[in-house]
Amino acid sequence: LVNKPEVVVFSVPSYACQRRTTLENQNTTLTDALSLLAENAELSNEDGRGVAFRRAAAVLKVLPSAVQSMSQLTGLPCLGEHSLRVIKDILENGASNEVESTKKSEKYKALKVLTGIFGVGAKTAARWIREGIHNLCQLRESGHTLNRAQQAGLEHYDDINQSVTKTEAEVIQEMVEKAVASVLPGAQVVLTGGFRRGKMSGHDVDFLITHPEEGREVGLMPKVVSWLEAQDFLLYQKTTRNSYLESKEGPGRPPSNMDRFERCLSIFKLHSVENQAAVQDVTKRVEGEQRSDEQTRPWRAVRVDLVVSPFSQFAFALLGWTGSKLFERELRRWAGYEKAMCLSSHALYDNKQRKYLRASSEEDIFAHLGLEYIPPSERNA
Ligand code: GTP
Ligand code: MN
Ligand code: MN
């Protein structure tokens, strides 16, 4: 009798919003590789390819154990020819040539550096690269006129490209809560984005603000911003007002994916406890030891996104701003293709019944969509 080695064959539903994706990942080598190719595609303005790699990575993230052989992947959704080739290379050779050469390529490195500037997207970076600009030095020397966001982005480049810790996010949350309570008592502040999903670090800190009495939230953002500015908590901010009602949407018109909440993209000046300790250390240090401004100043710059939502749309806004980006995209795809509904961060429209479906919680929205409820900590697709 010959014992066949047991091969675990995995089974995974096709939409990420049907799956529970925690932060635990048994296949980080494979998912890091596919995520890098996704990022490279997105930075090269090839969004279709980017999504394909993101979907493939997301399927591997939910597998309960490390993939050992290609045969285990039979029948899994979202694994296209290209992704399978990358996986095969890694399983057989320990690495993928495509991934390794992408990492080393001048174009990828330049795109990473330039889009690391807040306010610079893939299109602007590509234009600069065509002009021979590959790094910050060359950008500064080029004499290009930068907009206000990009100037702030360049000025605080190192801080913004250093990830934000959970502890820092909590300090920022206290600042935002204090600001909001001061200008509109009773208003609620909720931490969204990656930190709501349980991540220990992030590229920014995201908040959603609302007030249980509909209408009280109108005009809130400028007041919050003024309060924060008066405390010298802001290094940069750009507020965009709510344009939902003026848009072509409204009753009978299905909502688009673009959301129109009043929002503020900002850079906070965060005085941290650790930084203050570092400053005191420095003052005690013997003279002559050179330290850069960066290391001695008692604060750091942190990207913060603030969004204000009317209470009636709060559940949609919360679901829409919690992420992950792929999870959101999959929810909208599920709604459209499987349910003939249109989901946005404002509303859910049923094309068959020709009406908006109300929701006062995220659970309500999953129920309308015929999906099992997935809590934030399991939306890490
Ligand atoms: P890190 O910040 O990198 O840790 O991850 P994150 O998941 O928090 O990403 P990010 O801050 O970029 O976005 C948080 C959530 O807000 C995601 O679900 C995005 O889909 C959503 N989001 C970001 N920008 C927009 C936008 O312009 N419109 C809408 N509707 N959602 C957005
Ligand atoms: Mn975020
Ligand atoms: Mn954000």
Side-chain angles (χ1 to χ4, degrees):
L1 243 156
V2 183
N3 263 342
K4 270 200 209 159
E6 264 199 57
V7 177
V8 190
V9 177
F10 305 114
S11 156
V12 172
S14 11
Y15 290 84
C17 54
Q18 297 173 290
R19 312 192 290 250
R20 297 178 183 275
T21 315
T22 63
L23 291 166
E24 245 170 79
N25 175 352
Q26 308 298 325
N27 287 284
T28 48
T29 309
L30 296 176
T31 58
D32 286 352
L34 292 169
S35 301
L36 184 125
L37 295 180
E39 183 191 32
N40 184 243
E42 288 157 4
L43 292 175
S44 309
N45 280 302
E46 296 172 27
D47 285 345
R49 275 157 61 83
V51 175
F53 286 128
R54 295 262 175 231
R55 284 208 188 111
V59 166
L60 300 184
K61 282 182 194 170
V62 292
L63 302 183
S65 59
V67 176
Q68 311 283 349
S69 73
M70 294 304 285
S71 59
Q72 291 175 283
L73 304 178
T74 312
L76 287 184
C78 308
L79 297 180
E81 202 186 317
H82 198 155
S83 295
L84 285 171
R85 195 165 69 234
V86 173
I87 297 168
K88 187 159 180 275
D89 275 353
I90 296 172
L91 291 183
E92 286 175 1
N93 314 316
S96 144
N97 280 334
E98 187 182 0
V99 172
E100 296 312 309
S101 64
T102 302
K103 253 188 238 177
K104 284 187 222 129
S105 79
E106 287 308 315
K107 189 176 162 237
Y108 172 76
K109 285 193 279 186
L111 283 167
K112 280 283 277 186
V113 168
L114 297 176
T115 58
I117 306 170
F118 171 63
V120 177
K123 296 216 168 80
T124 305
R127 184 157 39 81
W128 288 344
I129 290 170
R130 283 198 297 274
E131 295 171 20
I133 298 166
H134 288 78
N135 56 47
L136 303 186
C137 215
Q138 291 169 339
L139 176 63
R140 286 197 181 96
E141 283 166 7
S142 73
H144 270 294
T145 326
L146 303 181
N147 65 32
R148 216 165 54 82
Q150 294 163 345
Q151 282 171 28
L154 201 52
E155 190 175 339
H156 304 293
Y157 188 87
D158 290 339
D159 276 1
I160 290 175
N161 283 285
Q162 184 198 322
S163 59
V164 185
T165 65
K166 176 82 189 153
T167 312
E168 288 170 327
E170 282 162 1
V171 175
I172 302 261
Q173 181 164 14
E174 281 170 25
M175 293 159 79
V176 173
E177 278 169 353
K178 210 167 159 207
V180 169
S182 306
V183 300
L184 182 64
Q188 297 168 0
V189 175
V190 183
L191 184 65
T192 60
F195 288 111
R196 182 163 184 251
R197 302 196 308 274
K199 280 176 59 179
M200 291 309 287
S201 68
H203 98 283
D204 68 357
V205 196
D206 307 283
F207 295 98
L208 182 61
I209 305 166
T210 190
H211 191 287
E213 272 174 64
E214 187 94 355
R216 294 288 298 278
E217 81 290 347
V218 174
L220 180 55
M221 194 73 87
K223 289 182 197 154
V224 170
V225 167
S226 297
W227 191 92
L228 291 167
E229 273 175 339
Q231 307 285 318
D232 192 28
F233 285 166
L234 289 184
L235 294 162
Y236 166 90
Q237 69 83 21
K238 185 171 175 164
T239 302
T240 318
R241 67 200 179 99
N242 184 319
S243 59
Y244 187 55
L245 291 175
E246 309 155 21
S247 70
K248 287 179 192 142
E249 295 157 16
R253 294 258 193 171
S256 73
N257 289 338
M258 264 283 296
D259 90 64
R260 296 163 187 284
F261 291 119
E262 187 172 40
R263 78 171 69 172
C264 176
L265 304 187
S266 72
I267 303 175
F268 269 50
K269 184 174 184 177
L270 176 66
H271 291 261
S272 87
V273 178
E274 294 126 69
N275 279 349
Q276 273 161 11
V279 164
Q280 277 155 19
D281 272 3
V282 166
T283 54
K284 279 185 232 146
R285 209 167 271 142
V286 276
E287 247 177 282
E289 195 177 334
Q290 291 280 318
R291 300 223 86 195
S292 76
D293 224 27
E294 195 94 321
Q295 290 159 298
T296 59
R297 61 175 160 68
W299 56 268
R300 68 162 288 201
V302 177
R303 274 274 299 111
V304 176
D305 285 339
L306 304 173
V307 179
V308 172
S309 136
F311 200 65
S312 60
Q313 298 172 19
F314 180 73
F316 297 101
L318 183 59
L319 180 60
W321 282 86
T322 296
S324 68
K325 284 201 178 83
L326 183 72
F327 191 90
E328 302 298 333
R329 182 184 267 276
E330 294 278 277
L331 270 176
R332 293 193 299 263
R333 190 164 70 96
W334 168 272
Y337 280 84
E338 305 294 333
K339 297 284 154 184
M341 293 180 186
C342 189
L343 176 68
S344 75
S345 296
H346 294 280
L348 179 61
Y349 185 79
D350 185 326
N351 292 316
K352 286 192 221 134
Q353 297 185 64
R354 292 172 171 249
K355 68 170 194 188
Y356 285 100
L357 305 178
R358 291 187 168 280
S360 55
S361 66
E362 290 180 313
E363 282 87 344
D364 287 350
I365 306 171
F366 281 89
H368 283 317
L369 291 169
L371 288 168
E372 233 177 87
Y373 176 68
I374 310 286
S377 62
E378 296 176 340
R379 296 180 202 160
N380 287 292

